[in-house]
Amino acid sequence: MPLWRPGRKVQAERSTDRLPPGQRKVGGWPVLHEGDAPAFDPETWRLRIVGAVARPVELDWTALQALPAFETVQDFHCVTTWSRFDNRWRGVSVRTLLDLAGPLPEARHVLLHSYDGLGYTTNLSLADFARPENLVATHHDGAPLTVEHGGPVRFVVHHLYAWKSCKWLSTIELLPEDRRGYWEQRGYHNHADPWREERYSYQEDDAD
Ligand SMILES: Nc1nc2c(c(=O)[nH]1)N[C@H]1C(S)=C(S)[C@@H](COP(=O)(O)O)O[C@H]1N2
Ligand SMILES: [Mo]
C-alpha cells in the first residue's frame, strides 16, 4: 500500500501534525542568542566531556572531525514561537561521544557549556541528551555551520525547545543531580517539551 495517493493532501496534513501548539512555521532561519557570537580558535578549542564519566574526554577540532559522521533531518522549535522544518544536520552522534566517555551509573543529568563570553549553559536529563537522533553538529543543510548559528560546533536536540541546543559548544558535563542552565534559571521550563508547551518554569511539576 502506497504511503500517499495524489489528492489526499498528505503534505498539508503532515505539516499541521508537525507544528507544536502555539508555534508557526518560518521559511528562513532566524538567528537567536544572548551576547555576541564568539571567535573560534581551532588551535585551542576543545570539546570536553567531564563529570560523572569513567573516561573524561578531550577532543580537539581535528579529533572531533575524525569521529564517525552522523546525519539527521529534524524540525527545530524556538520558544519565541518560530519553528523551522527539515533541518539537515551533520556532525557526531551523542551516542558516539557517550561511548567514549562511559557515563557512570550515577550520571542522570547533563549541563552543556558554551565558549561564548556570556558562559551560556543549558541543562537536560541524560535520557533526553542521549536520544539517538541528537548530535554535536558541524554542518547544516550541507554547509559548515556559520558562526551566528553556533558554528563551527553546536549541540542539537530536536524534541525540546531550541534553547537546549547549545551553540558554540565546549563542555558536556554529566552530573548526578540536576543543575539549571542560563534560561532555566531565568523563568524558562526545566524540561521544555514543545509538544506539551513547556515554556515557563511556573508550569513545572515535581517530575520536571
Ligand atoms: N550559546 C548559546 N546557545 C544558544 C543560545 C544562546 O543564547 N547562546 N540561544 C538558544 C536559543 S533561545 C535558540 S532559539 C537557538 C537558536 O539557534 P539559531 O540562532 O541557530 O537559530 O540557539 C540556542 N542556543
Ligand atoms: Mo529560542
Side-chain angles (χ1 to χ4, degrees):
M1 173 144 162
L3 286 176
W4 61 275
R5 278 178 279 118
R8 281 188 58 207
K9 293 187 186 161
V10 167
Q11 203 56 48
E13 282 164 22
R14 185 159 177 251
S15 296
T16 308
D17 289 342
R18 288 168 67 186
L19 202 58
Q23 297 290 113
R24 68 199 155 82
K25 183 182 176 217
V26 292
W29 189 10
V31 170
L32 212 76
H33 54 256
E34 294 273 288
D36 298 324
F40 176 80
D41 181 352
E43 298 298 320
T44 58
W45 176 86
R46 298 288 183 273
L47 178 64
R48 293 190 169 87
I49 309 175
V50 301
V53 295
R55 301 171 293 277
V57 171
E58 187 176 304
L59 297 165
D60 66 15
W61 181 229
T62 309
L64 180 75
Q65 291 169 294
L67 292 174
F70 174 78
E71 203 171 276
T72 181
V73 178
Q74 300 283 343
D75 302 340
F76 197 59
H77 311 292
C78 172
V79 72
T80 63
T81 74
W82 57 266
S83 291
R84 188 182 197 280
F85 286 2
D86 291 325
N87 299 275
R88 180 178 296 277
W89 300 101
R90 181 152 61 87
V92 176
S93 162
V94 291
R95 296 294 178 92
T96 301
L97 295 169
L98 288 172
D99 285 349
L100 289 176
L104 294 175
E106 63 264 32
R108 287 283 179 275
H109 298 274
V110 177
L111 188 65
L112 301 172
H113 300 255
S114 171
Y115 59 86
D116 61 9
L118 196 73
Y120 185 88
T121 54
T122 186
N123 61 305
L124 65 179
S125 71
L126 180 57
D128 280 330
F129 175 82
R131 295 251 302 223
E133 69 275 18
N134 296 348
L135 75 165
V136 169
T138 55
H139 289 71
H140 177 273
D141 287 353
L145 261 184
T146 58
V147 66
E148 68 265 29
H149 285 299
V153 48
R154 78 179 296 168
F155 174 64
V156 181
V157 52
H158 314 277
H159 71 291
L160 302 175
Y161 282 122
W163 84 78
K164 303 278 188 184
S165 291
C166 186
K167 293 156 85 158
W168 314 297
L169 183 65
S170 61
T171 302
I172 299 167
E173 185 178 7
L174 275 67
L175 297 161
E177 78 289 348
D178 198 7
R179 207 181 294 162
R180 297 178 84 99
Y182 183 87
W183 284 122
E184 294 84 1
Q185 291 171 29
R186 288 168 175 77
Y188 284 87
H189 201 284
N190 203 41
H191 184 229
D193 179 346
W195 297 98
R196 299 174 63 192
E197 272 207 271
E198 294 173 339
R199 298 179 189 272
Y200 306 110
S201 52
Y202 67 75
Q203 301 171 289
E204 289 170 18
D205 58 36
D206 290 346
D208 300 310

